[in-house]
Each structure stands twice: as C-alpha cells, then as structure tokens.
Amino acid sequence: MATGNPVIDAVNRVSLVQQIIIGLLFGVALGYLANPDVGIIPISAVPLLSLLGSMFVGALKAVAPILVFVLVTSAIASHQRGREAHIKPILLLYIIGTFSAAAVAVAASFLFPSEIALVQHEVSNTPPAGIGEVLKTLLMNLVANPINAIANANYVGILMWALLLGFALRHAVDSTRMMIADLAAAVAKIVGWIIRFAPLGIFGLVAEMVATSGISGLLSYFKVLAVLVLCMVFIALVVNPIIVWWKIRKNPYPLVFTCLRESGITAFFTRSSAANIPVNMALCKKLNLHEDTYSVSIPLGATINMAGAAITITVLSLAAAYTEGVQVDFMTALLLSLVATISACGASGVAGGSLLLIPLACNLLGISNDVAMQVVGVGFAIGVVQDSCETALNSSTDVLFTAAADMGRQRTGHL
C-alpha cells in the first residue's frame, strides 16, 4: 500500500522475509568486522548493535502473553454452537511429532555414540528433582494468579484463565463480546507493527552473536552438536513432511518450507518460543487457517510441542551414559526420552528450557547429579547453536501441524 513516502514505499515493495534475510546478512558482516579476532570495528559498538535485537525480542515477549490471553478469550467467547475448534487432531500431531523426534534421537545416538569432555559450568536454576515435582509445578501453574501468569509469561496459567473467562463470557451481551473481539484485533494490530521491525531485530541479534561468540569453543563438542543438529534437520525435512503428507495427501514441502522460512528463521535468532508466538499467529492468519483453532493451538504448542526438546534431552543424556560407561538398551532409552520430554511441559517456563531436564533423564539412567550438571554445562556451551535449532524446530512445527490439521479437515470435508 502506497504511503506517499518514497523510502517507506521502496521498503514495502520488498517482502518481509527478504528484508529479514538482508538484515541477517548485514548482521553477519557487521558482527564479523566487530569480532575481536578481526577488530576492524571496535567491540564497544556491539552493545549498540545488540540493543536493536534486545528491544525486538523484549517487545515480542511483552506482547505475547497479552496476545494469547485476549485471542483465546475472544475465540472462546465468540464461539458459535456447532463450530468446533478442532484441537484434538493437532494434539495428536504434537504427540506423534514428539514421539518421532525421541525415536530418531535414540536411533542417532546408537548409530553415532558420542562421548563428551565434561566441564563445570555455573547453572543459575535448580533442575527439578523428579517427575512428581514437575507435575506439581504444572498443576500449580494452572491455578496461578491470572495477573501473575501474564506478568511472568506462564502460558499454562494464561490458557487456563483465558478458557475460563471465555466460557463465562459466552453468556455476556453481544456488545461485551464484540468489545473483547475488538480488543483482540487491536492487540493483533500492535503485533503486526512489532513484526515489521523484525529485520532490524534480527540484524542486531546476529551482529551481537557473531561479534561475541566464536566457533572455537564449539569444536571440542562438535560430534555431539552435529548429532543434535542433524536429528533436528532430519525431523524438519523428512519426518515432519511425512506426517503432514499423511494429513493432507499432497506434496508437503511447500508448506514445510513456508513454516521454516517465516517462523523458523525468526525463532532461530530470538531463541524463544514465547517470543515467536506473535510471529506464528500472524503466519496462521496469512495461511487463512481457522482462527478458533490457531488461537489455542499456537500458545498450546509453545508449551507442549517439544520435538526439539526430546532430541536435546535424549542425545545429551545418552552422551553422558556413553561417557560414564553406562549400558542402555534401545527401549529403555526411548522410554526415558519420552518421560523426560513429557516432563518438559511442566518446566517449559524455566530459563534454560530443555537443558534443565537433563539431570532428570540422567537420574533415570543412574547417572549422578554431579555428572548430569556438567552435561548441562556442555549444553550451555553449545547453546548458541543447539538452543537456536531447537527453538526453530519447535516453533515452526506448531504452525506446520496446525496448518496440516486444518488442511486435512478441509480435504476430508469435515467443516
């Protein structure tokens, strides 16, 4: 749409994805020049570059809880009898995807067993002591104060209160429900404005990462990192397309690449599924998906769709077992990874994400907590790549499976 400003009009003629790629390339170039090993640009310039990325991620994280709350509330409140939200098929895809990721990670760990040089690393959070503690945390998150849930980005609590409020508002007068719908549209509009700044945000994030994080620290852990990344690539480009084909019965790759390009790239650099919720919501709207469905499935997926976490927990825990000489059979390893991944749903709000579930998995293998925490340290050492790939896989799959379920429903004629 023409604005009358030639600069803005020129920018608008370039698609957002192309703008993000341009920002990424400029970020790599500027970060390289500011890297201490090159030193063409003073390292003191890095904080200024990182400010753009920090502001972008901060804005997404700030608006995401409010967006989820008002969208889910509005979708439930305005829901008409006879119209289904079709969440069950998406939940089934989430479960199949997570199970498949765990199976692939176990198979890869058995095919390419990795030993790691354990390191001490300060971990700021205490990992859960057991599955009981994780489940207790999950249940307490459900009944958390709604204001605190929004302030602390507790998406389990946000979903619970939004659902309850939405059901209660079904009996409100039409003008009240229309006001809630208008509020949801207004927040979505704000999200659109924030997403327009994604190229600058990605530019700042990449410049900071390249300037401050060399690759030398990753070389000693290259094998386990390679297994992690290859598993995630295999899930994204082989397993997920097969699952999507099963639902839509046509070439899945155009949809797969769209989700990776428009959701995965942003998630890779923000390294936050919560921050990527607004991006995923916007992509679902662009794909003309059922709003009653994606307004619930996307925030739910950010909490429970853990294919990337399944891979991280499984590969690093089995690497610890190989390093310590612990013998693990295939079925035990698969069961372990599934239990740990399910547990991750209850700890998804903890800083460090899937890495803090490694001690729980190691405990099930009989590996001491001291060794497990050193493995967590290795996870943080390779986190620049591992966490980015994990978030990109998890977040892009939320949209992919939502779209696949919606298209599959349309294909079979269930309107």
Side-chain angles (χ1 to χ4, degrees), residues 179-190:
M179 183 195 71
I180 298 296
D182 288 342
L183 178 61
V187 175
K189 187 72 172 177
I190 293 172

Side-chain angles (χ1 to χ4, degrees), residues 95-117:
I95 293 170
I96 293 173
T98 299
F99 181 89
S100 301
V104 167
V106 170
S109 295
F110 275 70
L111 289 173
F112 309 103
S114 305
E115 294 187 10
I116 48 180

Side-chain angles (χ1 to χ4, degrees), residues 81-397:
R81 293 185 182 277
R83 290 176 58 192
E84 296 183 25
H86 306 287
I87 297 298
K88 289 182 181 178
I90 300 173
L91 288 176
L92 177 62
L93 293 182
Y94 286 167
I95 293 170
I96 293 173
T98 299
F99 181 89
S100 301
V104 167
V106 170
S109 295
F110 275 70
L111 289 173
F112 309 103
S114 305
E115 294 187 10
I116 48 180
L118 298 178
V119 295
Q120 295 290 347
H121 192 287
E122 182 179 350
V123 179
S124 58
N125 296 87
T126 303
I131 295 176
E133 182 181 335
V134 171
L135 293 177
K136 178 183 177 182
T137 300
L138 178 62
L139 292 175
M140 293 307 296
N141 283 342
L142 282 173
V143 295
N145 181 290
I147 305 300
N148 289 338
I150 293 174
N152 297 321
N154 167 16
Y155 287 96
V156 174
I158 290 170
L159 281 170
M160 173 60 72
W161 286 107
L163 288 169
L164 291 175
L165 184 60
F167 280 117
L169 285 172
R170 281 190 178 186
H171 304 287
V173 296
D174 290 343
S175 58
T176 299
R177 285 183 285 140
M178 188 174 295
M179 183 195 71
I180 298 296
D182 288 342
L183 178 61
V187 175
K189 187 72 172 177
I190 293 172
V191 169
W193 295 340
I194 294 172
I195 292 174
R196 290 301 304 171
F197 287 93
L200 291 176
I202 296 297
F203 165 76
L205 290 169
V206 174
E208 178 189 19
M209 183 179 68
V210 175
T212 58
S213 301
I215 62 170
S216 58
L218 301 177
L219 294 179
S220 60
Y221 308 118
F222 180 79
K223 185 176 181 180
V224 69
L225 179 61
V227 173
L228 279 168
V229 173
L230 289 175
C231 283
M232 294 180 192
V233 170
F234 186 81
I235 292 294
L237 298 182
V238 178
V239 176
N240 282 353
I242 292 173
I243 295 174
V244 172
W245 177 86
W246 170 63
K247 290 297 292 184
I248 68 177
R249 290 295 195 274
K250 63 181 182 180
N251 182 6
Y253 283 99
L255 179 61
V256 169
F257 290 137
T258 296
C259 293
L260 288 174
R261 182 177 66 248
E262 300 198 21
S263 173
I265 290 177
T266 307
F268 183 91
F269 291 107
T270 61
R271 295 168 64 183
S272 170
S273 293
N276 216 47
I277 287 175
V279 177
N280 283 350
M281 293 281 201
L283 178 55
C284 286
K285 184 175 182 179
K286 180 179 178 180
L287 293 172
N288 295 317
L289 303 184
H290 197 284
E291 186 173 356
D292 286 355
T293 301
Y294 72 72
S295 63
V296 177
S297 70
I298 294 302
L300 189 63
T303 305
I304 70 170
N305 188 25
M306 292 288 186
I311 292 170
T312 296
I313 294 167
T314 302
V315 170
L316 288 178
S317 298
L318 289 178
Y322 288 125
T323 302
E324 293 294 294
V326 177
Q327 299 297 318
V328 183
D329 63 82
F330 186 90
M331 292 308 298
T332 299
L334 183 59
L335 178 62
L336 143 74
S337 63
L338 288 176
V339 169
T341 303
I342 293 170
S343 300
C345 300
S348 58
V350 178
S354 58
L355 294 178
L356 291 180
L357 271 297
I358 292 173
L360 171 60
C362 287
N363 181 259
L364 295 176
L365 290 175
I367 298 172
S368 71
N369 192 59
D370 289 340
V371 172
M373 293 311 295
Q374 290 187 58
V375 176
V376 175
V378 172
F380 278 108
I382 62 176
V384 171
V385 177
Q386 169 270 324
D387 193 34
S388 295
C389 292
E390 178 182 318
T391 307
L393 176 61
N394 286 343
S395 194
S396 62
T397 304

